[in-house]
Amino acid sequence: MSTLPYQLNCAVLTERRLHGRGQLRVGSGERVEPRTIVGTDSPPAEPLIINIAADLQETPAAAAQALTVKVGERVARGAVLARAKTAKSVREVRAPESGVLVAYDQTSGLATLLPSSSQVELRATVSGTVRDVVPGQSVTIETRGAYVAGVWGAGGDAYGVVRLATRSRSETVAFEQLDNRFTYSILVTGGTVTAETLARCEELEVRAVIAGGVAPAELGRYLGFEAGVQVLPEALLTLRSVRKDPGQALLIMLLGGFDATEIDEAAWQVLAACEGREGSITSSNWPEPPRLVVQLPTSEVVDAVPLQQAVLGAGATVLILGGPNAQTAATVVDGAVRRISLPSGVAAEAMQVRTDSGKQLDIPVHNLRVIQNP
């Protein structure tokens, strides 16, 4: 048997991988902080989704007529993609990056821009010590402290002080309750969040929001989708690129999933223990699940009181959160913990699960979430 992916006193391993032709800059044993540059990378370009209709305040059909660029055309950063004129003003939508306009959807009003490939800095995203380096491939960082894994997240990476906005795991914060106490923080709220709450967080420059859930309709409304447009959760994985300024996107991390109404009790215990501590969230490693990592003093890690956590036992129905089998339901085979080697060579605790198709897999424990215990 093993604990769920919420732990307070543990060693957390974070792997930062190169996705293209890049170079690593750190060595084993080095101390790093979230913004430490551990390497440079030239990853494949990720499409950017731009809500043309919402930005122009037009219907998707009208926004299509306002496009100044044809699909397939290359544009420079800052170039006008669409322009709408009224009697009193002119509204424009500009390209956030140089690239090619590859699509425009007349149903939703969304345009897809494929950026030109460029070199980017690979940051640690967490505080800790470099434990392992695989030249040309990855860096593994060990953090002594706590972590909470989510089931969905978007918005890139964020760093800030963990602040609880509610007193219980099922209580929903109202946007009127939020003030500048939460500026630059990782805000935690029980229950669900609304479009108004997310907009208020963005206004206050909150760096990330952790919640039990959010209705897809509310998230779509926050993003500016026209009322009635159906927004699938899968499409919302591009949340960070839907915002006008992707670099300043509000990171959102869900612990229960869409339409969930509360946060798991074990996760809430960990979050409460991390109140006032600096934490880091990474949601840009999809299909791996997003997770909050908080470094704690060694004395607190050693002396921490064990949490009363749910367990993974034989016969439990689980959801695989990351890797090539992400979002696949499975059943725990025998509940035994095995030691496996990750692609980087780092050892990890894993459990054997069986998918509905009968395939047996060894999955790291931190990539499993219980759906139902036997």
Side-chain angles (χ1 to χ4, degrees), residues 171-210:
E171 180 183 354
T172 297
V173 67
F175 74 94
E176 299 94 339
Q177 298 173 264
L178 302 178
D179 54 33
N180 56 16
R181 291 175 299 166
F182 298 100
T183 297
Y184 305 141
S185 73
I186 294 176
L187 183 149
V188 180
T189 173
T192 62
V193 287
T194 64
E196 288 78 13
T197 298
L198 293 173
R200 177 59 173 161
C201 287
E202 188 173 289
E203 179 185 334
L204 291 171
E205 297 185 76
V206 171
R207 289 180 173 164
V209 173
I210 298 177

Side-chain angles (χ1 to χ4, degrees), residues 5 17 30 39 119 195 202 247 255 292 332 350 372:
R17 297 186 300 272
E30 287 189 36
Q119 190 174 76
E202 188 173 289
L255 302 188
L292 167 71
V332 176
Q372 183 176 2

Side-chain angles (χ1 to χ4, degrees), residues 266-303:
W268 185 258
Q269 290 184 52
V270 176
L271 292 168
C274 294
E275 164 78 18
R277 300 282 188 184
E278 288 192 354
S280 307
I281 300 179
T282 300
S283 70
S284 57
N285 285 340
W286 181 260
E288 293 182 9
R291 62 178 182 174
L292 167 71
V293 177
V294 178
Q295 186 176 39
L296 298 174
T298 303
S299 59
E300 292 191 26
V301 174
V302 173
D303 300 330

Side-chain angles (χ1 to χ4, degrees), residues 89-323:
S89 65
V90 176
R91 298 190 183 93
E92 294 181 338
V93 180
R94 295 180 179 272
E97 301 288 347
S98 299
V100 177
L101 185 69
V102 295
Y104 178 79
D105 184 352
Q106 296 202 34
T107 301
S108 64
L110 297 178
T112 304
L113 179 72
L114 184 64
S116 303
S117 180
S118 60
Q119 190 174 76
V120 297
E121 295 174 335
L122 183 67
R123 297 185 183 273
T125 71
V126 296
S127 298
T129 303
V130 176
R131 175 171 171 176
D132 186 46
V133 177
V134 180
Q137 295 184 37
S138 65
V139 170
T140 300
I141 302 163
E142 179 179 295
T143 303
R144 300 290 297 180
Y147 80 94
V148 175
V151 298
W152 182 88
D157 306 323
Y159 329 101
V161 176
V162 178
R163 299 289 187 198
L164 269 62
T166 58
R167 291 173 293 181
S168 74
R169 64 192 182 95
S170 58
E171 180 183 354
T172 297
V173 67
F175 74 94
E176 299 94 339
Q177 298 173 264
L178 302 178
D179 54 33
N180 56 16
R181 291 175 299 166
F182 298 100
T183 297
Y184 305 141
S185 73
I186 294 176
L187 183 149
V188 180
T189 173
T192 62
V193 287
T194 64
E196 288 78 13
T197 298
L198 293 173
R200 177 59 173 161
C201 287
E202 188 173 289
E203 179 185 334
L204 291 171
E205 297 185 76
V206 171
R207 289 180 173 164
V209 173
I210 298 177
V214 59
E218 287 294 309
L219 189 51
R221 193 157 63 88
Y222 161 65
L223 294 174
F225 286 93
E226 185 180 2
V229 173
Q230 295 297 313
V231 184
L232 297 177
E234 292 80 2
L236 297 174
L237 290 171
T238 54
L239 167 66
R240 71 186 180 90
S241 58
V242 174
R243 308 307 298 158
K244 292 182 180 180
D245 184 353
Q248 299 299 318
L250 173 67
L251 189 155
I252 301 173
M253 174 172 154
L254 304 182
L255 302 188
F258 294 97
D259 293 319
T261 58
E262 62 183 16
I263 291 177
D264 183 274
E265 176 61 32
W268 185 258
Q269 290 184 52
V270 176
L271 292 168
C274 294
E275 164 78 18
R277 300 282 188 184
E278 288 192 354
S280 307
I281 300 179
T282 300
S283 70
S284 57
N285 285 340
W286 181 260
E288 293 182 9
R291 62 178 182 174
L292 167 71
V293 177
V294 178
Q295 186 176 39
L296 298 174
T298 303
S299 59
E300 292 191 26
V301 174
V302 173
D303 300 330
V305 177
L307 295 173
Q308 297 299 314
Q309 296 178 315
V311 295
L312 289 168
T317 302
V318 296
L319 181 68
I320 300 174
L321 301 177

